[in-house]
Amino acid sequence: MALVLEQINVEGLAHLSYLIGDDKAGVVAVLDPRRDVDIYIQRAREIGVRITHIIETHIHADFVSGSHELKARTNALIYGGKSDDYQFDLEQLNEGDELEIGNVTLRALHTPGHTPEHTSLLIFDAKQGKEPFAIFTGDFLFNLDVGRPDLIGGGTEKKLAAQIYHSLFDKLVPLGDRLEIYPSHGAGSSCGKSIGDRRQSTIGNERIFSPVFKQRTEAEFVEWVLGEMPEPPTHYSRLKKVNAKGAKVLGDVPILPPLSPQDFHQLMQDENTVVIDTRSILAFGGGHIPGAINIALRPEFPNWIGWMINPEKKILLVLESERGISLASQQLFRIGYDNIAGYLHDGMTSWQNAGLPLKHLGEWTVQELNQQKDHPDVTVLDVRGDDEFKNGNVPGAKHIYVPHLEEHLDQLDKNQTIATYCGSGYRASIAASLLQKHGFEKVVNVPGSWIAWSAANLPVEKNH
């Protein structure tokens, strides 16, 4: 028997899923699968095993679960924790229930707090003694962080935070420092407050280095874990409902149709359609389709699509490369955006050659921003999060977090030049493009933004 234990990382979502099983017995389970499931099918074929179990540690909020896609392809059963929130048939696990996958055994450990039904899985290997050697912690415990207890809302935050405390200190710590930890998210995910860079750890390592295990009373832990909690992305509550119901099986990532400039332009006229320009902020600034929103196709792309774009809208895409077509379709599929009307064939080259309208977006260096920031006709707009703004900002800047910009347009003067900045320029370009879309003509973005401002040692205002 050879143990199969493979981690699969989804860039952008920072989502970690797993294959676990026994290649001699020819069987594996898939834990917390993403929606585009070909990778699990392919790896199973390469290893020479079949997928017999699909396991959900909890009802996810940041991506569409691939459990139903995988079940349709493999006929494997879906397993999850005990909850009345599930609206589909699955095998619900009680604490202590075991799943035999060849000579590998997974034992359910109820670890509520991130969600009420959250279930971790202890991993036993017959060749490595009678005690578990590792645990799949789902979104309960990460490197240097724990799962946030505020995603369900409704006043349950303190109760769930207390449950995390007991899950940690009554259930996890007694298992011993040698136990390996395999979480379902890494750095960059909003499922925690500040997840560390390591995608694997041990209880002993976390007890030494993680602020989670600092000695606190239950009340102090609850206060700590809920303190300075960043706002959850808006799509989390929607995806929670999708996954509780069970996502519709589509069979594969949809193939996006290429559209001529004329057809693209015609579809744009529908008020229920939004144009997403996925090019870099500098390319977008040089020339773009009027009304387009710039959300660059970088690792942050799915998170900011989820924050900013209504999933009921039809989406038209502007892309820079053939690889971008495949990557954008995958990323949108993973977060449940299934209403993609198509992409602009040959990109902006075909648009400009068709003689269709172009808009430009001004760009200032941080030195230019510093020179202009005190001008009476200039509004400096900081679109970072609250904590970022409190830790230092461009002197005199107005603050509106970019996901809430459209709600507060009345706080801005269309006669002013509005200079947007964020951490790097990425969110600032989203904000600047939104302002243009809503009729603000004097808009400039600041590439490099706060990173460049700090590197240039320019003045900082504190807002503690």
Side-chain angles (χ1 to χ4, degrees):
M1 167 258 182
L3 172 72
V4 175
L5 177 51
E6 293 191 11
Q7 183 187 79
I8 295 169
N9 175 42
V10 178
E11 187 180 22
L13 294 173
H15 164 226
L16 306 172
S17 56
Y18 298 89
L19 278 80
I20 174 78
D22 177 352
D23 64 3
K24 185 175 181 181
V27 290
V28 292
V30 177
L31 190 99
D32 289 335
R34 71 195 199 192
R35 193 182 187 192
D36 46 322
V37 299
D38 279 353
I39 190 166
Y40 310 112
I41 306 291
Q42 178 182 338
R43 285 301 296 143
R45 286 173 180 161
E46 290 169 351
I47 300 166
V49 295
R50 62 191 176 92
I51 297 168
T52 55
H53 299 69
I54 303 161
I55 305 168
E56 295 281 3
T57 56
H58 64 292
I59 301 172
H60 293 279
D62 66 312
F63 66 95
V64 176
S65 167
S67 290
H68 295 272
E69 292 282 350
L70 200 54
K71 180 180 180 180
R73 300 274 289 275
T74 65
N75 206 32
L77 292 177
I78 301 174
Y79 297 80
K82 296 284 288 186
S83 176
D84 292 335
D85 291 336
Y86 288 112
Q87 298 166 42
F88 59 90
D89 291 333
L90 78 164
E91 300 293 317
Q92 297 198 8
L93 299 170
N94 293 301
E95 178 151 340
D97 285 351
E98 293 186 347
L99 302 176
E100 303 290 340
I101 307 163
N103 282 321
V104 173
T105 300
L106 301 180
R107 181 184 296 165
L109 184 70
H110 185 217
T111 48
H114 178 63
T115 65
E117 80 287 350
H118 193 288
T119 299
S120 300
L121 283 304
L122 292 163
I123 311 172
F124 296 79
D125 177 358
K127 288 190 175 182
Q128 299 188 60
K130 295 183 179 180
E131 298 300 315
F133 74 89
I135 183 170
F136 291 122
T137 56
D139 284 5
F140 157 50
L141 180 67
F142 310 112
N143 174 225
L144 305 183
D145 203 0
V146 288
R148 54 192 299 169
D150 65 322
L151 295 182
I152 294 176
T156 63
E157 296 85 355
K158 288 187 177 181
K159 177 183 176 182
L160 290 172
Q163 288 181 346
I164 289 178
Y165 178 85
H166 290 287
S167 293
L168 284 168
F169 295 103
D170 296 345
K171 293 191 175 182
L172 193 70
V173 170
L175 295 170
D177 286 350
R178 67 178 283 271
L179 205 69
E180 298 168 18
I181 293 168
Y182 294 93
S184 291
H185 283 93
S189 168
S190 295
C191 291
K193 185 159 56 172
S194 184
I195 300 175
D197 292 332
R198 294 184 62 184
R199 297 174 187 163
Q200 177 190 348
S201 187
T202 64
I203 292 178
N205 185 80
E206 295 307 303
R207 289 182 66 203
I208 294 170
F209 296 108
S210 175
V212 170
F213 290 92
K214 180 180 176 180
Q215 190 168 357
R216 299 180 180 91
T217 65
E218 178 183 322
E220 289 169 341
F221 179 88
V222 169
E223 182 179 2
W224 170 77
V225 80
L226 291 174
E228 299 184 350
M229 186 69 73
E231 183 181 354
T234 50
H235 61 297
Y236 276 25
S237 60
R238 174 180 65 85
L239 291 182
K240 196 87 171 170
K241 294 174 184 175
V242 169
N243 287 326
K245 184 178 180 180
K248 181 180 178 182
V249 174
L250 296 183
D252 206 348
V253 179
I255 297 173
L256 303 186
L259 299 169
S260 70
Q262 294 77 16
D263 289 341
F264 194 97
H265 187 258
Q266 182 63 39
L267 288 171
M268 281 175 55
Q269 309 314 308
D270 181 350
E271 62 180 17
N272 196 43
T273 298
V274 61
V275 177
I276 306 297
D277 191 322
T278 69
R279 295 175 301 148
S280 70
I281 59 177
L282 293 176
F284 181 83
H288 56 265
I289 295 170
I293 300 171
N294 182 216
I295 305 180
L297 192 55
R298 294 196 335 204
E300 308 97 309
F301 177 76
N303 197 45
W304 286 105
I305 287 285
W307 261 115
M308 306 301 302
I309 305 302
N310 183 339
E312 300 302 319
K313 298 276 189 182
K314 291 182 181 178
I315 294 176
L316 292 167
L317 294 168
V318 178
L319 300 150
E320 285 189 290
S321 66
E322 289 294 321
R323 179 179 179 274
I325 298 168
S326 173
L327 183 58
S329 59
Q330 287 175 347
Q331 296 281 39
L332 291 165
F333 183 69
R334 289 169 185 162
I335 56 172
Y337 283 77
D338 299 334
N339 202 11
I340 316 301
Y343 68 95
L344 180 61
H345 184 57
D346 282 342
M348 289 304 296
T349 299
S350 67
W351 185 269
Q352 69 185 23
N353 290 347
L356 291 164
L358 280 172
K359 288 284 269 188
H360 304 276
L361 183 65
E363 291 163 343
W364 284 353
T365 65
V366 290
Q367 289 80 10
E368 289 173 308
L369 177 63
N370 189 42
Q371 292 168 1
Q372 298 288 341
K373 64 181 171 54
D374 297 321
H375 193 284
D377 293 330
V378 171
T379 296
V380 179
L381 182 62
D382 186 319
V383 298
R384 297 175 299 162
D386 292 348
D387 289 342
E388 294 172 283
F389 184 72
K390 288 175 184 175
N391 288 329
N393 60 274
V394 173
K398 186 178 184 66
H399 178 233
I400 304 175
Y401 189 28
V402 64
H404 304 302
L405 182 57
E406 289 184 292
E407 304 163 33
H408 299 290
L409 294 175
D410 58 350
Q411 297 180 16
L412 300 170
D413 186 347
K414 287 186 176 181
N415 295 315
Q416 294 261 305
T417 296
I418 300 176
T420 62
Y421 80 93
C422 62
S424 65
Y426 186 95
R427 290 169 291 175
S429 194
I430 296 174
S433 62
L434 275 173
L435 290 172
Q436 269 197 344
K437 180 179 174 66
H438 287 283
F440 289 78
E441 295 293 337
K442 302 175 183 178
V443 183
V444 295
N445 184 25
V446 182
S449 284
W450 189 248
I451 293 172
W453 186 272
S454 300
N457 294 314
L458 293 169
V460 173
E461 180 177 74
K462 295 283 187 176
N463 285 282
H464 292 300

